[in-house]
């Protein structure tokens, strides 16, 4: 069996301070492989726990190979986590959702997979997110 046929799920927990900074620094969901390996996203499950102060900004939760890229990504949702009073809100993301392309004139080989915001959440907002990413690595050599 080739390693590229293995399907893996891994969890990343995002605390409140990291959540508030996702427009500046994204969270690495999957660590990059070698230059000849591409992360193939199968799906992501996110569990958002809203704190006492919800975020009401449309900050654009995004998943992509380039941290912070608002043009080329695998998934983006303007209203991700911006619904007050939806404590415990969950999202399922697949690689077919809202794809706008990835990395023009380059390869996705050797790239990590990130979750980030394209705009800042409401200042002082509280909340945490648990993210389970299911993927496989594809050999492009």
């Amino acid at each position: 069996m080739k390693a590229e046929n293995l399907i893996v799920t891994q969890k990343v927990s995002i605390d409140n301070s990291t959540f508030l900074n996702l427009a500046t620094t994204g969270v690495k969901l999957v660590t990059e492989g070698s230059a000849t390996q591409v992360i193939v996203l199968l799906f992501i499950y996110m569990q958002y726990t809203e704190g006492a102060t919800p975020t009401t900004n449309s900050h654009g939760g995004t998943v992509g190979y380039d941290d912070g890229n608002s043009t080329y990504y695998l998934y983006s949702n303007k209203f991700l986590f911006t619904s007050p009073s939806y404590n415990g809100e969950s999202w399922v993301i697949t690689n077919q959702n809202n794809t706008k392309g990835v990395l023009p004139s380059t390869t996705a080989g050797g790239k990590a997979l990130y979750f980030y915001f394209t705009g800042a959440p409401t200042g002082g907002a509280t909340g945490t997110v648990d993210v389970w990413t299911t993927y496989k690595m594809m050999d492009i050599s």
Side-chain angles (χ1 to χ4, degrees):
M1 175 178 265
K2 292 183 177 182
E4 68 188 60
N5 295 325
L6 297 176
I7 295 174
V8 178
T9 299
Q10 64 187 56
K11 179 183 178 185
V12 172
S13 293
I14 300 171
D15 64 19
N16 185 244
S17 63
T18 303
F19 178 83
L20 291 172
N21 289 313
L22 283 172
T24 304
T25 304
V27 171
K28 191 180 288 190
L29 298 178
V30 179
T31 301
E32 63 275 7
S34 71
T36 61
Q37 291 179 308
V38 173
I39 299 165
V40 178
L41 174 63
L42 300 175
F43 58 89
I44 294 174
Y45 175 77
M46 293 186 176
Q47 182 71 44
Y48 171 60
T49 303
E50 183 179 280
T53 306
T55 179
T56 55
N57 289 351
S58 300
H59 42 67
T62 304
V63 175
Y65 294 111
D66 285 332
D67 185 12
N69 194 323
S70 61
T71 303
Y72 297 96
Y73 50 80
L74 296 174
Y75 172 86
S76 187
N77 185 321
K78 180 179 178 181
F79 300 107
L80 196 67
F81 311 133
T82 59
S83 302
S85 303
Y86 288 161
N87 192 11
E89 185 171 15
S90 62
W91 299 76
V92 176
I93 297 168
T94 67
N95 63 343
Q96 289 84 26
N97 291 338
N98 303 324
T99 300
K100 280 188 75 175
V102 180
L103 304 169
S105 305
T106 64
T107 176
K111 299 287 186 178
L113 191 65
Y114 294 91
F115 174 65
Y116 52 91
F117 290 158
T118 56
T122 305
T126 54
T128 60
V129 184
D130 288 320
V131 183
W132 290 265
T133 304
T134 300
Y135 66 96
K136 66 181 190 172
M137 299 295 276
M138 180 174 65
D139 184 353
I140 59 169
S141 59

